[in-house]
Amino acid sequence: MVALLLTKTFLLPVRGRFAVSALSYPARCKSSGQPLTQEVSEELSDEAIFSHEHVELRRSLNKIIENDINPHVDEWENAKIFPAHQVFKKLGDAGFLGVNRPPEYGGLGLDYSYNVAVAEELGNIKCGAIPMAIGVQTDMATPALARFGSDLVKKEFLAPSISGDKVACLGVSEVGAGSDVSSIKTTAKKSGGDYIINGGKMWTTNGLQADWMCLLANTSDGPPHRNKSLICLPMDLPGIEKAKIDKIGMWSSDTAQIFLEDVRVPQSYLIGDEGMGFTYQMLQFQEERLWGAAASIVPLDTVIKETADYTKQRKIFGQPLLNNQAVHFKLAELQTEVECLRSLIYRATGMYIQGKDVTKLASMAKLKGGRLAREVTDCCLQYWGGMGYTSDVMVSRAHRDFRLLSIGGGADEVMMSIIAKYMGTLPKLKPQ
C-alpha cells in the first residue's frame, strides 16, 4: 500500500505523515516567495508532470522549511555546519527522504516526478547548502541501493536513511579523480568474508556527520569500467579519518576529505553485483543531475525577482534603475532562460518515469543549470552594486553557492562530452 494518500482537500497520512489540511497555512511554491495562491496552484497543476497532489506535497514541505529550517539558516551558515541529524529526522518523519522509494522500506512509493517537486520546493530554503545535503541523501547516495541492493543492506542502510535516522554521503570523487570516475584508486580487496578498503575520498558532502557512505571502489584489477563496485560503508569503523574542507560557498554543508586505511567491511554490504559499480554509478548520476538542475530553479527565480524589486526601488540619475532598458531587458532574457531550463527538466523527468534513458537530457539540464546559475547570479549581483558585494543580501549568497553547479556532480566540460557522445560527434581517441 502506498504510504501517502492525497485527496483534493487534505494530504492525509499513513503512519502519521502529512497530517495537515491543504488550506491550513500558506505555502511558498514559486520562487517569488508569495503564498501559493489558487492561480499559482493551477499553473503548477497545468504542468504535464505535475498534478494537484504534487502541489499539496510541496505545501507540506514548505511548512517544514518555513518553521524549522529558514529561521536558523543564517546561524548555520555562520557556524559553517547545520545539524544534519536533526533536520533529516524532521524531514524523514514527514516522508520527504523517500518519496519514490519502496513502501516496504519506509518510502512513499511515488514516481520520480514527486522527487522533482520536492527538489524545486527545497529551493525555498535560504541557502544552497542544505538542499544540496538533502539531495545527497535522497538522490545521490541511495538510488543504486534502492534499485540493486539486497534486502539486508536495504534494511540496514536504506530504511534508516529514509526515516532520517541515518545520514548518508557519497564516496566517488578522489584527489586525482573527480569527473573522471573511471580513474579512482580506492581499493576493496577480499579477505575472508570481508573487504579491506584502502584509499580516500574527496569533496564528500555530509562527510563529517554521515553514518554511512555509498562507496565506489576498485574490487578487481580488470578494465576500469568493469572492476568497480558500490559498497555500503559505515563511517564509524576503525581506519576512517575525516578532515573538514573549507569552501567559498555552500557554507553550512559540511564537506570532508575521507582517509581509508585497512577498513574492514563485510562483503554482504556490497550493492548489487561485484564489478557493476561503474554502471550503477552512471545510472545514479541521472537522478543526481536532474535533481541538481531542478533544485536550482526556485533560487534562480528568486534572484531575478528580488533583483527586479531592488532595482525598482533603487534610484539612479533621478529614476529607478529598473527603468533602464539594459536592466529590464536583461531580466526578461534571464527569466526566459530559466523557463527553458524548467521545461527541459520536466521533459527529462517525464521520459525518466516512463523508463527511458535520459542521460543526454539530464546532462543537458545539468549543463544549462550550471551555466545559467553563473549568468543569473553574476548579472543580478552587478545590478545590486556595492550592496551585492556584501554578505548581507541574498544575491551574494546565491552567487557563491550556485557556482558549484558547474563543477560538482560532473563539470560542464564532462556534460558536453556526454552530450557530444550521444550526438555521435565525440571523436574516438586512440589509446595512449
Side-chain angles (χ1 to χ4, degrees), residues 137-162:
Q137 182 96 347
T138 59
D139 288 72
M140 302 177 200
T142 53
L145 173 59
R147 187 171 178 182
F148 303 108
S150 66
D151 182 62
L152 183 150
V153 290
K154 286 178 181 177
K155 286 180 177 177
E156 183 144 356
F157 298 100
L158 180 63
S161 297
I162 291 171

Side-chain angles (χ1 to χ4, degrees), residues 365-375 402 405-406 412:
K366 167 71 166 58
L367 172 66
K368 184 63 176 176
R371 292 287 178 87
L372 191 56
R374 292 155 67 180
E375 183 180 10
F402 289 98
L405 193 53
S406 279
D412 282 0

Side-chain angles (χ1 to χ4, degrees), residues 140-146 148-150 153 169-172 181 184 188 195 197 201 212-219 227-233 265-285:
M140 302 177 200
T142 53
L145 173 59
F148 303 108
S150 66
V153 290
C169 65
L170 178 64
V172 175
V181 176
I184 66 165
Y195 286 115
I197 300 171
K201 295 297 172 179
W212 71 279
M213 172 188 285
C214 178
L215 172 77
L216 186 67
N218 297 309
T219 48
N227 74 335
K228 294 171 176 54
S229 302
L230 286 176
I231 300 167
C232 295
L233 176 67
V265 62
Q267 291 179 31
S268 58
Y269 285 1
L270 176 73
I271 296 175
D273 296 327
E274 191 171 275
M276 289 295 292
F278 184 87
T279 299
Y280 294 161
Q281 187 55 46
M282 292 305 104
L283 293 172
Q284 204 160 239
F285 275 147

Side-chain angles (χ1 to χ4, degrees), residues 313-334:
Q313 299 169 11
R314 175 80 166 90
K315 289 204 166 98
I316 183 169
F317 304 123
Q319 65 173 344
L321 182 59
L322 186 62
N323 284 8
N324 288 275
Q325 188 182 78
V327 178
H328 59 254
F329 271 21
K330 187 62 180 180
L331 294 180
E333 179 184 356
L334 293 175

Side-chain angles (χ1 to χ4, degrees), residues 317-358:
F317 304 123
Q319 65 173 344
L321 182 59
L322 186 62
N323 284 8
N324 288 275
Q325 188 182 78
V327 178
H328 59 254
F329 271 21
K330 187 62 180 180
L331 294 180
E333 179 184 356
L334 293 175
Q335 189 66 68
T336 302
E337 292 291 324
V338 173
E339 290 305 320
C340 290
L341 174 61
R342 194 192 314 267
S343 295
L344 174 58
I345 293 166
Y346 290 175
R347 179 178 180 227
T349 301
M351 293 175 63
Y352 187 64
I353 61 180
Q354 293 173 14
K356 296 179 180 178
D357 179 8
V358 296

Side-chain angles (χ1 to χ4, degrees), residues 69-337:
I69 298 177
N70 275 344
H72 309 288
V73 164
D74 289 342
E75 173 191 348
W76 295 339
E77 282 281 290
N78 290 333
K80 295 196 174 180
I81 195 168
F82 79 102
H85 285 88
Q86 174 187 322
V87 172
F88 285 14
K89 184 58 179 170
K90 189 77 176 181
L91 293 168
D93 284 346
F96 288 111
L97 299 183
V99 171
N100 72 327
R101 300 295 175 235
E104 57 267 33
Y105 298 102
L108 302 183
L110 302 173
D111 67 53
Y112 191 74
S113 66
Y114 289 87
N115 285 53
V116 172
V118 167
E120 280 196 48
E121 190 58 40
L122 288 171
N124 277 311
I125 296 175
K126 295 177 180 177
C127 68
I130 296 171
M132 178 179 69
I134 296 166
V136 168
Q137 182 96 347
T138 59
D139 288 72
M140 302 177 200
T142 53
L145 173 59
R147 187 171 178 182
F148 303 108
S150 66
D151 182 62
L152 183 150
V153 290
K154 286 178 181 177
K155 286 180 177 177
E156 183 144 356
F157 298 100
L158 180 63
S161 297
I162 291 171
S163 67
D165 292 304
K166 285 187 177 181
V167 173
C169 65
L170 178 64
V172 175
S173 293
E174 299 181 2
V175 173
S179 295
D180 183 9
V181 176
S182 65
S183 296
I184 66 165
K185 303 300 182 185
T186 297
T187 60
K189 296 185 178 180
K190 291 182 178 179
S191 175
D194 296 335
Y195 286 115
I196 306 298
I197 300 171
N198 282 283
K201 295 297 172 179
M202 195 69 172
W203 321 119
T204 308
T205 300
N206 299 340
L208 296 179
Q209 300 185 74
D211 298 291
W212 71 279
M213 172 188 285
C214 178
L215 172 77
L216 186 67
N218 297 309
T219 48
S220 74
D221 296 324
H225 295 95
R226 296 195 294 274
N227 74 335
K228 294 171 176 54
S229 302
L230 286 176
I231 300 167
C232 295
L233 176 67
M235 292 294 285
D236 59 353
L237 296 175
I240 298 178
E241 299 291 338
K242 309 170 187 179
K244 181 179 174 63
I245 298 173
D246 287 324
K247 313 178 298 295
I248 65 171
M250 300 291 190
W251 287 353
S252 55
S253 169
D254 64 288
T255 307
Q257 182 174 4
I258 309 296
F259 303 91
L260 306 167
E261 183 177 357
D262 294 332
V263 181
R264 184 176 290 269
V265 62
Q267 291 179 31
S268 58
Y269 285 1
L270 176 73
I271 296 175
D273 296 327
E274 191 171 275
M276 289 295 292
F278 184 87
T279 299
Y280 294 161
Q281 187 55 46
M282 292 305 104
L283 293 172
Q284 204 160 239
F285 275 147
Q286 291 190 55
E287 293 194 13
E288 175 177 345
R289 289 163 182 166
L290 273 179
W291 193 97
S296 72
I297 290 291
V298 169
L300 295 182
D301 274 343
T302 301
V303 168
I304 294 170
K305 183 187 181 299
E306 293 201 7
T307 300
D309 290 343
Y310 177 76
T311 54
K312 190 182 297 181
Q313 299 169 11
R314 175 80 166 90
K315 289 204 166 98
I316 183 169
F317 304 123
Q319 65 173 344
L321 182 59
L322 186 62
N323 284 8
N324 288 275
Q325 188 182 78
V327 178
H328 59 254
F329 271 21
K330 187 62 180 180
L331 294 180
E333 179 184 356
L334 293 175
Q335 189 66 68
T336 302
E337 292 291 324

Side-chain angles (χ1 to χ4, degrees), residues 413-428:
E413 293 74 18
V414 174
M415 297 303 99
M416 288 187 281
S417 294
I418 294 170
I419 296 164
K421 180 179 179 180
Y422 275 80
M423 292 173 63
T425 59
L426 186 69
K428 293 183 178 180

